[in-house]
Amino acid sequence: MDTARQFLRYSIPGSLFLLLFLSMQLAWHVFRGQPVRTALAPLSGGFVLAVLGASIPIGFVLYQLYFGRYSPWVGFRYLKHVRWPRQDRGAVVLASLTCGQRVRLAHDTGARIDHRDATKSGTSRFLFAFRPLDIDEAWVGRDCDGSGFDHPMCTDVQPYDRPNPPDPSWRLDPYEAFEKRWRGNWDAVMTALEIHSADPRAVTLKREYVCLSDIYHSLGVTRLSLNLGGIAWLVYNIAVNGPSIHDHWWPFVWTAATTLTVVVATNWYLSAARINTQESMLRRLGAGLRAVLPG
């Protein structure tokens, strides 16, 4: 991994985690009536260097926490009614291809792909950065769209809703089916890029995808680092400075409330940027694969 990617993945999230923690601690001391110079006294040059050195390992751990929970679901994966699906990125890309390209891709790779829309949006545009998606439970029985570039051949690459030959009484659980296709669709898209890696257009397309993907995931782990930075500050002070909090509870509450407001606003902007980055990435990947793939 090159230095620029390491910086995006590890250094920025780790630095923001430490910066938020130290800023909150400084603000609390100032709100308690300490002069700024006194509050800054512990921040020696050696301490600052140690903090900078710690940012990368902390960022690495945060990145593992982020990817450890990156799955087809937001919320509790095994509790159907308190989990929400992530966007099926592979389905968005596959929907940009012609039906013939999808059929050929499925046959060449042996992948089980399905580009039909399986989710419905849940809220207003104002809250789009936080909007949860909902499973459309009827998607497993919906036929392939017969308009545009689609034709009956598309049923050959939709294995999740019907066996071969079709049996109207057979239905797979829509949540289980979504989880399988979420992984299978993206694997098929990545395999398509690898298969055509000798094509200069595919090389350029993959390079652009990697760049946008790094930005997308870095926004996600940065959002996580800010949330955990605030939680770490709260837990640390409750555990270590309990008596001081009791004597100066109002500055503590004021610091926590101010930081919460900033973190929520930052989360909203980061989420909005993350969604826009993913939409741009998927549009370009879909259009590029359509130009690269035969058929």
Side-chain angles (χ1 to χ4, degrees), residues 29-246:
H29 288 305
V30 171
F31 288 152
R32 287 168 53 188
Q34 285 189 4
V36 175
R37 180 173 296 181
T38 302
L40 288 173
L43 303 182
S44 63
F47 180 82
V48 172
L49 289 175
V51 167
L52 291 175
S55 64
I56 291 181
I58 290 176
F60 178 82
V61 172
L62 290 171
Y63 215 86
Q64 308 319 306
L65 292 175
Y66 166 78
F67 264 107
R69 56 189 289 272
Y70 193 76
S71 72
W73 307 105
V74 178
F76 297 94
R77 176 179 177 182
Y78 298 105
L79 298 178
K80 183 179 298 185
H81 299 293
V82 285
R83 64 177 178 177
W84 301 271
R86 296 187 192 273
Q87 184 178 33
D88 189 341
R89 303 166 299 166
V92 175
V93 175
L94 293 169
S96 300
L97 307 181
T98 67
C99 187
Q101 286 175 323
R102 286 193 292 268
V103 171
R104 181 164 182 169
L105 176 62
H107 290 169
D108 289 348
T109 63
R112 302 179 62 179
I113 62 177
D114 194 327
H115 70 285
R116 293 171 298 168
D117 190 6
T119 60
K120 52 187 178 182
S121 182
T123 116
S124 67
R125 180 67 182 172
F126 176 73
L127 295 175
F128 77 102
F130 290 127
R131 72 175 185 267
L133 295 173
D134 291 321
I135 281 285
D136 183 358
E137 296 192 10
W139 78 268
V140 290
R142 186 180 299 119
D143 290 331
C144 181
D145 182 6
S147 63
F149 293 96
D150 294 321
H151 54 72
M153 283 177 60
C154 286
T155 59
D156 295 339
V157 290
Q158 294 177 13
Y160 296 118
D161 69 323
R162 57 177 70 88
N164 190 14
D167 178 2
S169 66
W170 184 87
R171 285 291 181 269
L172 187 64
D173 177 79
Y175 291 85
E176 180 184 350
F178 179 82
E179 183 163 344
K180 289 182 177 179
R181 61 168 267 180
W182 189 88
R183 302 181 188 281
N185 284 344
W186 192 246
D187 288 344
V189 170
M190 292 294 99
T191 301
L193 279 176
E194 294 299 330
I195 289 175
H196 296 276
S197 58
D199 189 329
R201 296 175 300 174
V203 174
T204 301
L205 182 60
K206 185 174 181 179
R207 185 184 303 119
E208 185 174 15
Y209 153 72
V210 168
C211 179
L212 290 173
S213 178
D214 279 343
I215 295 173
Y216 171 79
H217 288 302
S218 294
L219 289 169
V221 72
T222 297
R223 185 177 60 183
L224 176 65
S225 72
L226 291 176
N227 295 335
L228 292 182
I231 294 173
W233 176 82
L234 188 65
V235 171
Y236 169 79
N237 281 286
I238 290 175
V240 176
N241 298 317
S244 183
I245 293 173
H246 183 269

